[in-house]
Amino acid sequence: WVETPLLFETGAGESVDEVVVVDAGEALRLDRMVRDRGLDREEAQRITSSQMAPSEKRSRADYVVHNEGTADDLLRAAGLLLADLAPDRDDGPAAPIEWETAPPEGWMRVDLHLHTSASWDCLSDPEALLAQAGERGVSRLAFTDHNTVEAALKWAERYPDRIIPGEEVKTAEGIDVIGLYLHEEIPKGTPAREVVERVRDQGGVTYLPHPYASGKGAGGRFAEELAPFMDVVEIFNGRLHPGRLNQPGVDLARRYHRLRGAGSDAHTVSEVAGAYVQVPVHDNTPDGLRSALRRGTPAGRTASNLVHLASTWAKVQKKVFGG
């Protein structure tokens, strides 16, 4: 390991196997030098101007870590990068699901994105979802209803080891952002970056679902902007049609060294566990999930297009009959 701000300037770049550049915007870098090193601003500017331009360093690097957040954010990003550099890392698309095979001892399966009857376009009973998931070898579910966390919190209290309370928020930009391990609802129409901050304020996990979906993901228009602020990027969504739209999510997670997630996005009981991540057994906490996902293997299959008819029927039934 070599840690130096002058790797390229001294010609030492050729002596290492991999180069990681930790970078931040110029104004933020200057502020930190003044605050943390006791320099005046003119001296800080003189030092930075004598070094190679950050854009040139980024272009020469094998990996770039964006250091725009807190020290904890940087530590988390560094851990993700180390996981990416592990020799047994598999960055390919999700594997086929294995309902008939139990996870190995010490491992479990988690469906990180699905809906219950609390969503406006879903009629699924939570007990039925849990029963079906259990039969398919998936022991933990993230209830991520549209724009509400109330039902998820109720069921998480009832089944504290089996339910992750979450919410899929429709943002001001018209895309979806998920918060996991929430304890307060985030209002529909909140700007995406503010959703991220609210999830973090609650100690939760930020999760970018179906980033390249044509409607709810805006065809990837916000993917690059939001990925650096996400804990998890969904690389397989069981309801995404055509299924090939999952592949850009794999590439997005790789570029930004994000944890990789998978969820069925189930709106019917038959869809639950149609996608999951196989991870080491861990405490049902934000840090537990993050740590487990570093060794996770996403798996999934794309559901039939017919599942969208069930969502339409749910909307009609709720509009006509209430509930």
Side-chain angles (χ1 to χ4, degrees):
W1 291 88
V2 177
E3 182 181 347
T4 174
L6 302 175
L7 183 71
F8 298 121
E9 290 88 339
T10 59
E14 300 301 321
S15 65
V16 297
D17 296 320
E18 305 278 359
V19 176
V20 178
V21 168
V22 180
D23 191 29
E26 181 180 5
L28 182 55
R29 283 187 286 114
L30 291 173
D31 287 344
R32 287 170 174 169
M33 292 175 73
V34 171
R35 181 193 67 203
D36 300 335
R37 297 172 57 182
L39 302 174
D40 60 48
R41 202 164 191 84
E42 287 186 2
E43 177 67 7
Q45 288 176 326
R46 186 190 66 77
I47 292 173
T48 57
S49 62
S50 68
Q51 299 176 3
M52 181 180 290
S55 59
E56 179 66 15
K57 289 185 179 182
R58 290 194 299 269
S59 70
R60 296 191 186 190
D62 297 292
Y63 302 91
V64 177
V65 174
H66 298 273
N67 185 22
E68 303 281 348
T70 65
D72 286 341
D73 292 332
L74 178 59
L75 184 62
R76 187 177 303 134
L80 293 174
L81 176 57
L82 288 174
D84 282 346
L85 293 173
D88 60 349
R89 172 74 176 187
D90 175 16
D91 269 332
I97 57 175
E98 298 184 6
W99 284 341
E100 71 283 357
T101 304
E105 185 177 356
W107 293 74
M108 63 188 296
R109 294 169 180 165
V110 185
D111 184 340
L112 287 169
H113 177 187
L114 71 150
H115 298 266
T116 77
S117 54
S119 286
W120 61 285
D121 55 354
C122 178
L123 300 173
S124 299
D125 175 67
E127 291 281 11
L129 289 168
L130 286 164
Q132 181 79 306
E135 290 180 7
R136 292 176 170 175
V138 174
S139 55
R140 187 169 293 161
L141 305 176
F143 283 180
T144 54
D145 287 309
H146 296 298
N147 308 308
T148 179
V149 74
E150 182 178 0
L153 288 172
K154 181 183 80 172
W155 288 95
E157 185 175 0
R158 188 174 299 181
Y159 296 100
D161 195 48
R162 297 199 64 191
I163 302 298
I164 299 172
E167 178 187 357
E168 186 170 26
V169 183
K170 181 66 70 177
T171 70
E173 296 85 352
I175 63 171
D176 294 331
V177 172
I178 287 176
L180 301 176
Y181 295 100
L182 300 184
H183 52 81
E184 293 180 1
E185 184 175 300
I186 300 173
K188 176 182 178 181
T190 301
R193 286 288 300 277
E194 186 178 337
V195 172
V196 169
E197 294 306 317
R198 290 192 178 208
V199 173
R200 289 180 171 178
D201 287 345
Q202 295 186 45
V205 172
T206 53
Y207 183 103
L208 185 62
H210 42 64
Y212 292 90
S214 58
K216 53 195 177 182
R221 190 153 54 93
F222 298 94
E224 300 286 340
E225 175 186 340
L226 292 175
F229 303 97
M230 292 294 154
D231 292 306
V232 187
V233 169
E234 188 171 74
I235 71 159
F236 194 92
N237 180 290
R239 268 200 165 210
L240 190 54
H241 295 99
R244 66 175 181 272
L245 290 178
N246 281 306
Q247 181 59 46
V250 178
D251 300 332
L252 184 72
R254 180 186 297 118
R255 283 198 303 281
Y256 289 95
H257 315 298
R258 300 297 90 184
L259 297 168
R260 302 176 305 151
S264 63
D265 199 0
H267 286 63
T268 64
V269 173
S270 64
E271 295 172 74
V272 70
Y276 58 75
V277 185
Q278 185 162 285
V279 291
V281 172
H282 58 280
D283 292 337
N284 193 14
T285 63
D287 285 341
L289 178 63
R290 292 189 190 99
S291 178
L293 285 176
R294 293 177 185 175
R295 299 174 60 195
T297 301
R301 70 176 187 183
T302 301
S304 164
N305 276 292
L306 296 177
V307 297
H308 299 291
L309 294 177
S311 297
T312 301
W313 168 242
K315 297 174 194 176
V316 171
Q317 182 163 330
K318 290 189 173 186
K319 185 173 183 179
V320 174
F321 300 107

